[in-house]
Amino acid sequence: MSIKTATLNGVATIEIARPEKKNALTVAMYQAMTDALHAAQADPAVRALLITGQPGVFTSGNDIDDFMNRPPAGGIDSPDSPVVLFMKALYGFEKPVVAAVTGAAIGIGTTMLLHCDFVYVSDEARLAMPFVSLGLVPEFASSLIVPRLMGHVRAAEKLLLGDPFTGADAVEFGIANAVLPATEVVNHARRIAERFNSLPPGAVRESKKLMRASATPAVMAAIHAENQQFAARLASPEAREAFTAFFQKRKPDFTQFS
Ligand code: COA
């Protein structure tokens, strides 16, 4: 079981649980998370959603073996690709989403935080968006949102160089609310989510919608453009070299590419 779900005291929890692969996300895991989001959306007893990982790792991002060997049949940019359906369910989720970042949040592990409403980060966490290092491009509006949050030059360090950053940096950039001790981050995030039990759900829902409305057209346009590039890059020789190097536990060699 690599995705665990539970609903308790008004909070639906999605727990990423594949620690042996550092919580790398497979197609089946995206499908399970999408189903959980739809079920939580439809359940009137659910007032907020909590997404969390395992001690020391939130998620190491998309499973690189899936990237290499099992790209979605219709292409990663097709409307029915599991990762696209998951991200669509996440940014379309009408109730508040709280993330407890229990450790490393790489690739989509950081991207998904840009679409949550509250983000609490363990003091052991490292975030990174190493898409370029993998021969890919940013995804799901990170090319739009990250420069808007931190300015172009700092975004270039994160998106072009793929430099990792700390939870404290994430707070400074406006990606996260607070850094907490590793032992407290999930409980704190849960307490925030549970506060929605005593707030009026209709007002919360409409307010979240209003907060996102003005950015939505630009976010959708960015996602569309990124997905097309991402799909093309996945099949590129640069990406193949990066993925192969990852599994061979060596540095990739991009010197032969122009
Ligand atoms: N996809 C597939 N397998 C992954 C993975 C991923 N994204 N991340 C980790 N794994 C696997 C490793 O291949 C390894 O498998 P093995 O035990 O069969 O060799 C296992 O998980 C443990 O990973 P390892 O790298 O040894 O752990 P670590 O503690 O040294 O480093 C990370 C942890 C998260 C920093 C490192 O695994 C990493 O950088 N992962 C890739 C991140 C990435 O580039 N994601 C894609 C973003 S688009």
Side-chain angles (χ1 to χ4, degrees), residues 5-6 10 16 19 37 45 57 59-60 79 107 112 115 118 123 133-135 147 162 169 178 190 202 214 251 253:
T5 58
I16 308 169
L37 282 164
V57 66
T59 165
S60 62
M112 73 169 86
H115 299 280
F118 301 85
D123 52 9
S133 320
L134 288 168
D169 293 333
R190 175 170 294 283
S214 66
K251 274 192 189 311
D253 176 5

Side-chain angles (χ1 to χ4, degrees), residues 18 20-22 24 57 60-65 67 104 106-108 130-131 134 136 246-247 249:
R18 194 189 176 207
E20 71 283 4
K21 293 289 180 189
K22 300 289 169 182
V57 66
S60 62
N62 202 100
D63 187 293
I64 294 176
D65 189 45
F67 263 164
I106 319 280
I108 201 161
F131 303 111
L134 288 168
L136 304 173
F246 176 75
F247 287 116
K249 300 188 189 289

